[in-house]
Amino acid sequence: MSQPIKALIAGASGIIGHGVHRALDTPHNVVRGLARHPIDGMDTLCVDLTDPEATRRVIAEQAADTTHLFYAALSPDDDLAVEAQRNAAMLENLLDALEVAEAPLERVVIYQGFKIYGIHLGAKVPTPAREDDPSHLPPNLYQAQEAILTERARSARWDHVVLRPDLMIDGNVHGNPMNIAVVIGVFAALSRELGVPMRYPGTEAAYRVLMQFTDADLLGEASAWAATAEGIAGEAFNITNGDVFRWERLWPEAAEHLGLESASPVPIPLTQHMADKQPVWERIARRHDLVEERLDRLVGWGFGDFIFRTECDVISDVNKIYRYGFTPRCDSHERLLHALDRLRERRVIP
């Protein structure tokens, strides 16, 4: 990054926010997180983005000098229309607050998941998915947010860039439902405690499709690049590790790394099957002095169900971001095992 920036990371408590913070947190930059609650190790502005007045007050008092906004805030809802409306309003509230504070904003970097391609609707997305693929009928929160940015950027002094990661992994964050490394690590610990092999809990079809990861540190690097790179205003970029995997290869390797036997898949709905496992986890957590005894605060089983039951290839074309100048990539097998090791070191899993 050539010039120092004054960054505001919305949604800083999540897996994306932490990765972006690690990448930007240098002596030359001013980096602030924005979340509902304070975040350890991060200068945090605490506010609920659904409250426009509180958002204006906090920005005016603590972040009026923001030059770059990294927007990873997310408020999910089962009703897609409600989800789109609420998340669009949150983004508008923050942009309004920065405008009222006369912040010298130069660029907004926003994040979209594979949901932009319609995977959540049960569609078999043509792969590798490309940034200019045809959109689908709304509602979709990412469509709603991008429409706001495109319209406002026409008359603003700032521009915007879209980054599209996919399945995130990070060994430095727990308590975030969308960190698949935590799902795997906790599932492995429960399997060991109950004396059973670490069996893939999804379907046979999902076990064999092609999947991809986006490492949180790689996304952080891409975010730092997107903040100041020239010639990318208004563009969207897929960003993944640059390789693909099948669970049928990676799952047994992860089991072996964790000292467990694996066996053929047994499709179980994790949200139901894990409902009675709190006492088992408490026993594990107390024996190993783990940082969290509450399963519901640690892992998102519903997210695991969605990932482990995805029965179509999920692959992004990443050639565009390479052409525009961001070329780092990493090994998904190595990064998953590294994330599991970090979770052990931090006493998230035994």
Side-chain angles (χ1 to χ4, degrees):
M1 188 177 300
S2 55
Q3 296 295 325
I5 66 173
K6 295 180 179 178
L8 180 63
I9 306 170
S13 63
I15 187 170
I16 292 177
H18 277 274
V20 173
H21 181 263
R22 291 195 297 272
L24 298 178
D25 191 22
T26 72
H28 304 290
N29 296 327
V30 175
V31 185
R32 305 180 182 100
L34 188 153
R36 294 191 180 194
H37 306 287
I39 304 167
D40 289 343
M42 194 184 303
D43 181 8
T44 315
L45 282 61
C46 297
V47 70
D48 181 347
L49 288 176
T50 64
D51 185 336
E53 294 304 318
T55 302
R56 289 190 184 195
R57 183 175 62 254
V58 167
I59 295 301
E61 294 173 355
Q62 302 180 56
D65 59 349
T66 298
T67 62
H68 291 74
L69 171 63
F70 299 83
Y71 195 89
L74 175 65
S75 179
D77 197 282
D78 291 337
D79 186 319
L80 295 180
V82 171
E83 181 180 67
Q85 182 180 25
R86 184 165 64 229
N87 281 274
M90 289 164 57
L91 175 60
E92 288 245 66
N93 288 342
L94 183 51
L95 291 173
D96 287 343
L98 289 164
E99 183 177 326
V100 169
E102 299 183 344
L105 190 63
E106 298 173 17
R107 177 162 291 172
V108 177
V109 179
I110 194 167
Y111 304 88
Q112 299 174 348
F114 211 78
K115 196 173 186 176
I116 190 66
Y117 296 117
I119 190 74
H120 61 301
L121 301 174
K124 291 188 176 181
V125 177
T127 58
R130 296 176 182 147
E131 293 88 346
D132 59 356
D133 281 347
S135 192
H136 64 79
L137 193 69
N140 183 308
L141 79 148
Y142 298 132
Q143 293 172 340
Q145 290 176 329
E146 193 166 353
I148 288 168
L149 289 171
T150 300
E151 177 61 31
R152 294 183 70 135
R154 290 194 179 102
S155 58
R157 295 190 304 175
W158 50 264
D159 57 32
H160 77 284
V161 176
V162 179
L163 293 180
R164 294 177 177 172
D166 193 37
L167 183 56
M168 299 286 298
I169 48 173
D170 190 355
N172 300 289
V173 178
H174 69 274
N176 184 284
M178 294 186 180
N179 187 351
I180 200 65
V182 176
V183 177
I184 293 170
V186 172
F187 183 86
L190 290 167
S191 297
R192 177 186 292 108
E193 183 71 11
L194 295 171
V196 298
M198 183 176 147
R199 308 184 78 139
Y200 182 76
T203 63
E204 282 279 355
Y207 198 49
R208 307 188 191 286
V209 298
L210 289 170
M211 302 286 287
Q212 61 191 1
F213 284 146
T214 302
D215 182 75
D217 286 330
L218 181 71
L219 182 59
E221 290 182 50
S223 300
W225 167 81
T228 58
E230 297 181 357
I232 65 171
E235 298 288 347
F237 299 98
N238 292 328
I239 172 66
T240 73
N241 290 356
D243 60 6
V244 294
F245 67 90
R246 299 183 201 273
W247 288 116
E248 66 177 333
R249 292 291 298 271
L250 190 54
W251 189 269
E253 292 167 351
E256 181 181 9
H257 188 74
L258 294 170
L260 283 162
E261 296 291 329
S262 59
S264 57
V266 175
I268 57 174
L270 292 172
T271 49
Q272 299 174 26
H273 220 70
M274 294 299 177
D276 67 341
K277 300 300 186 293
Q278 176 60 35
V280 181
W281 182 254
E282 284 181 11
R283 189 165 70 239
I284 296 169
R286 290 170 184 173
R287 185 190 315 133
H288 294 277
D289 190 28
L290 301 183
V291 296
E292 181 56 71
E293 293 186 6
R294 288 273 300 276
L295 266 178
D296 60 343
R297 293 177 181 171
L298 184 61
V299 63
W301 295 120
F303 180 66
D305 278 334
F306 177 76
I307 296 302
F308 297 142
R309 291 170 179 267
T310 296
E311 297 186 344
C312 60
D313 291 343
V314 181
I315 310 171
S316 299
D317 187 329
V318 291
N319 284 304
K320 181 179 177 181
I321 198 169
Y322 294 164
R323 289 197 306 271
Y324 276 76
F326 183 80
T327 57
R329 52 182 294 161
C330 55
D331 184 314
S332 290
H333 171 274
E334 186 274 334
R335 295 311 294 171
L336 175 61
L337 300 189
H338 174 75
L340 293 171
D341 287 342
R342 281 291 294 143
L343 292 172
R344 282 167 151 178
E345 291 169 10
R346 295 177 54 247
R347 295 187 293 108
V348 178
I349 60 175

